[in-house]
Amino acid sequence: MQCIYRPLDLTEATLLQRMLADHHIDCHISGQYLQGAIGDLPVHDLIALWLSDEDAPRGSQLINDYLSASPLDEASQQPDPDSRLS
């Protein structure tokens, strides 16, 4: 097993775990229950994503692609009303 990413919070960890599952990659989230101990533990680096050695390169690439993606411009998502009038 290899630790491939340390998400900021459990929400990001779960989102990435589901994305990897969509690509048939099993992922283990460690530290997910430690967030309740904040105050007694450091606030960062509590959660980590772990993948098997054979899935680690592909999983790392998928996470890097996700993190480097830019959001779509809201104006580009709106259909042109004149394009439906043909």
Side-chain angles (χ1 to χ4, degrees), residues 2-71:
Q2 295 182 26
C3 176
I4 62 159
Y5 184 66
R6 294 194 177 272
L8 295 175
D9 55 26
L10 186 56
T11 303
E12 183 184 21
T14 304
L15 179 116
L16 293 172
Q17 182 185 41
R18 301 285 186 227
M19 180 198 62
L20 292 170
D22 287 344
H23 292 274
H24 308 287
I25 296 175
D26 290 327
C27 174
H28 173 73
I29 300 174
S30 67
Q32 59 189 337
Y33 301 111
L34 294 176
Q35 285 189 325
I38 290 179
D40 295 330
L41 295 173
V43 207
H44 54 82
D45 292 337
L46 293 178
I47 300 174
L49 298 180
W50 293 81
L51 272 66
S52 66
D53 292 338
E54 57 270 1
D55 288 334
R58 177 75 175 129
S60 293
Q61 182 62 46
L62 288 168
I63 289 175
N64 287 334
D65 291 347
Y66 168 80
L67 294 173
S68 64
S70 23

